[in-house]
């Protein structure tokens, strides 16, 4: 397979030049978004509206820049995401829309409507076959997302407590899954508590969206009948007191995400955008965001989501970690085992390489890319 083209521009601006949303519009035009026939077509712009309390999600200005280009090309854009598996501010369409509105996403700010992809209760889904699937053979995808003629992913590239990073594939695979689809991907393993390491701080219970963690003698315990296997408690624990019963669970999760991404992209035009900014150590699904672990790097665009994620990973691994962050604090510990991998050094339990390897293996894209830099 020949190298995919990935286009890049940094976050520098000057008084005589375009604004950052203007640079994004210029980037995606240069990357070839205009080659897609959008005339009269429904265009889903898949993004994350941010959990209430989290402010590291992408600003609505960037969504408007993409939507405006789509409209210039004759398309009918809408912003979309699917409901969450865990209880929170995005667990059903009404709460999800209220959350999006509070975080600044509406017709006035973005120039297009917001549609929750899997409906009121997260059950409005389409069963889609997975081409070349090894772990799964069908995916449960939000109906409105599959109804769209064209799919654009607009991704906040950041760290993640289970998958290492949240990039285009995470946005597509997990993000486009209905609630059943998310459970389908998360069911590879469930964590347990190493009691001798537990300090009884209750931070894991505060992060659990399933009320699956309880305490006896000030030690955490996990009710596996309630646990959904999302791994948020693993990322929350500062004392390595929680680990997965299935050592390959995060690897399998990543492979399932790749297969869901294949299902959601297959058979229609797609285009992918990632912004490396406010690189929080954990997912935007958290109702808070910790300090960035890496500096802002820039904007990337490609027709190939695998190449896009690989380019973003490479840019992050080449960046200098920020002090006073989860990554910086870990690296400053005298007894820290250095992985020489910013994602692993931030969250040592993660697995991320397997996601890209599997995505390439099943034919979703290639990790080999040519980086084309723009001013």
């Amino acid at each position: 397979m020949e190298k995919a083209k990935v286009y890049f521009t940094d976050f520098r601006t000057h008084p005589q030049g375009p604004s950052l949303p203007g640079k994004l519009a210029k980037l995606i035009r240069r990357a070839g978004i205009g080659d897609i026939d959008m005339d009269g077509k429904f265009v889903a712009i898949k993004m994350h509206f941010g959990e209430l309390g989290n402010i590291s999600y992408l600003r609505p200005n960037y969504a408007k820049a993409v939507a405006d280009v789509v409209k210039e090309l004759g398309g009918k854009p809408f912003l979309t995401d699917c409901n969450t598996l865990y209880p929170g501010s995005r667990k059903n369409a009404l709460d999800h829309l209220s959350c999006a509105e509070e975080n600044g996403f509406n017709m006035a700010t973005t120039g297009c409507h917001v549609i929750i992809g899997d409906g009121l209760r997260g059950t409005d889904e389409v069963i889609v076959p997975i081409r070349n699937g090894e772990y799964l053979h069908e995916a449960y995808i939000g109906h409105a997302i599959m109804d769209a003629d064209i799919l654009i992913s607009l991704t906040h590239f950041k760290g993640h407590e289970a998958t290492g990073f949240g990039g285009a594939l995470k946005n597509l695979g997990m993000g486009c899954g209905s609630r059943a689809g998310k459970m389908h991907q998360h069911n590879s393993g469930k964590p347990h508590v190493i009691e001798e390491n537990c300090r009884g701080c209750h931070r894991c219970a505060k992060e659990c969206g399933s009320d699956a963690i309880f305490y006896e003698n000030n030690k955490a315990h996990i009710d596996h009948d309630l646990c959904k296997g999302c791994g948020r408690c693993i990322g929350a624990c500062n004392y390595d007191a929680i680990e997965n019963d299935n050592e390959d669970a995060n690897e399998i999760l990543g492979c399932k995400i790749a297969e869901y991404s294949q299902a959601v992209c297959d058979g229609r035009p797609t285009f992918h955008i990632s912004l490396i900014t406010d690189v929080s150590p954990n997912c935007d699904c958290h109702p808070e965001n910790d300090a960035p672990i890496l500096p802002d790097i820039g904007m990337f665009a490609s027709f190939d989501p695998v190449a896009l994620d690989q380019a973003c990973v490479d840019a992050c691994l080449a960046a200098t970690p920020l002090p006073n962050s989860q990554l910086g604090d870990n690296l400053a510990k005298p007894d820290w085992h250095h992985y020489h991998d910013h994602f692993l050094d931030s969250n040592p339990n993660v697995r991320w390489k397997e996601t890209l390897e599997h995505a390439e293996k099943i034919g979703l894209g290639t990790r080999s890319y040519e980086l084309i830099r723009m001013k």
Side-chain angles (χ1 to χ4, degrees), residues 111-157:
C112 64
H113 292 288
V114 175
I115 298 176
I116 304 307
D118 58 345
L120 179 63
R121 300 178 184 273
T123 56
D124 187 10
E125 62 201 12
V126 178
I127 300 176
V128 182
I130 299 173
R131 180 169 51 87
N132 300 327
E134 294 183 11
Y135 294 88
L136 304 169
H137 299 293
E138 59 187 20
Y140 305 91
I141 306 297
H143 204 150
I145 292 173
M146 292 310 301
D147 268 351
D149 303 298
I150 298 158
L151 177 64
I152 297 173
S153 65
L154 175 58
T155 302
H156 171 219
F157 194 95

Side-chain angles (χ1 to χ4, degrees), residues 46-49 79-83 90 96 115-117 175:
K46 170 62 183 74
M47 66 178 305
H48 194 303
F49 303 122
L79 305 182
T80 190
D81 196 6
C82 288
N83 293 304
R90 298 178 301 120
H96 206 154
I115 298 176
I116 304 307

Side-chain angles (χ1 to χ4, degrees), residues 162-220:
T163 59
F165 64 84
L169 297 186
K170 182 72 163 50
N171 188 20
L172 291 163
M174 188 63 69
C176 291
S178 65
R179 297 192 85 194
K182 289 176 171 64
M183 187 69 233
H184 199 204
Q185 294 170 79
H186 269 304
N187 65 3
S188 300
K190 297 183 178 181
H192 70 273
V193 177
I194 305 170
E195 286 195 32
E196 57 268 29
N197 292 352
C198 179
R199 307 287 183 87
C201 70
H202 289 236
R203 182 175 175 183
C204 59
K206 292 176 183 177
E207 288 294 334
C208 180
S210 307
D211 294 327
I213 298 177
F214 62 97
Y215 286 80
E216 291 180 354
N217 299 320
N218 206 33
K219 298 290 185 179

Side-chain angles (χ1 to χ4, degrees), residues 15-316:
Q16 290 75 38
S19 64
L20 287 176
K23 285 191 77 172
L24 177 57
K26 181 180 178 181
L27 175 76
I28 63 177
R29 290 190 187 100
R30 174 73 186 281
I33 195 170
D35 294 341
I36 301 173
D37 177 12
M38 295 190 185
D39 190 28
K41 307 288 180 60
F42 291 114
V43 182
I45 302 174
K46 170 62 183 74
M47 66 178 305
H48 194 303
F49 303 122
E51 193 75 14
L52 288 182
N54 187 307
I55 58 172
S56 68
Y57 57 88
L58 293 182
R59 290 175 175 84
N61 312 64
Y62 292 120
K64 186 177 189 305
V66 177
D68 284 350
V69 171
V70 169
K71 288 189 287 185
E72 289 170 11
L73 295 170
K76 299 176 181 294
F78 64 95
L79 305 182
T80 190
D81 196 6
C82 288
N83 293 304
T84 58
L85 181 61
Y86 60 87
S89 61
R90 298 178 301 120
K91 64 183 180 295
N92 61 65
L94 298 185
D95 289 346
H96 206 154
L97 288 169
S98 295
C99 174
E101 177 79 24
E102 187 166 336
N103 283 344
F105 295 91
N106 54 54
M107 185 69 178
T109 59
T110 67
C112 64
H113 292 288
V114 175
I115 298 176
I116 304 307
D118 58 345
L120 179 63
R121 300 178 184 273
T123 56
D124 187 10
E125 62 201 12
V126 178
I127 300 176
V128 182
I130 299 173
R131 180 169 51 87
N132 300 327
E134 294 183 11
Y135 294 88
L136 304 169
H137 299 293
E138 59 187 20
Y140 305 91
I141 306 297
H143 204 150
I145 292 173
M146 292 310 301
D147 268 351
D149 303 298
I150 298 158
L151 177 64
I152 297 173
S153 65
L154 175 58
T155 302
H156 171 219
F157 194 95
K158 67 280 181 186
H160 195 279
E161 61 274 22
T163 59
F165 64 84
L169 297 186
K170 182 72 163 50
N171 188 20
L172 291 163
M174 188 63 69
C176 291
S178 65
R179 297 192 85 194
K182 289 176 171 64
M183 187 69 233
H184 199 204
Q185 294 170 79
H186 269 304
N187 65 3
S188 300
K190 297 183 178 181
H192 70 273
V193 177
I194 305 170
E195 286 195 32
E196 57 268 29
N197 292 352
C198 179
R199 307 287 183 87
C201 70
H202 289 236
R203 182 175 175 183
C204 59
K206 292 176 183 177
E207 288 294 334
C208 180
S210 307
D211 294 327
I213 298 177
F214 62 97
Y215 286 80
E216 291 180 354
N217 299 320
N218 206 33
K219 298 290 185 179
H221 298 268
I222 299 173
D223 183 339
H224 280 186
D225 290 334
L226 296 176
C227 174
K228 294 181 173 66
C230 72
R232 289 177 66 166
C233 57
I234 297 174
C237 182
N238 289 330
Y239 307 107
D240 297 324
I242 305 178
E243 64 181 14
N244 208 301
D245 288 335
N246 179 358
E247 292 183 357
D248 296 326
N250 282 340
E251 175 184 345
I252 295 171
L253 171 63
C255 292
K256 288 182 175 182
I257 287 171
E259 294 188 356
Y260 258 66
S261 298
Q262 174 79 294
V264 79
C265 290
D266 222 10
R268 58 177 165 175
T270 65
F271 187 82
H272 310 283
I273 308 157
S274 287
L275 278 64
I276 306 180
T277 181
D278 294 323
V279 188
S280 51
N282 298 318
C283 182
D284 288 345
C285 292
H286 283 251
E288 85 294 323
N289 56 282
D290 197 2
I293 60 174
L294 297 170
D296 292 351
I297 294 173
M299 315 178 200
F300 297 74
S302 180
F303 282 99
D304 187 323
V306 183
L308 182 67
D309 270 359
Q310 186 66 64
C312 290
V313 166
D314 292 343
C316 286

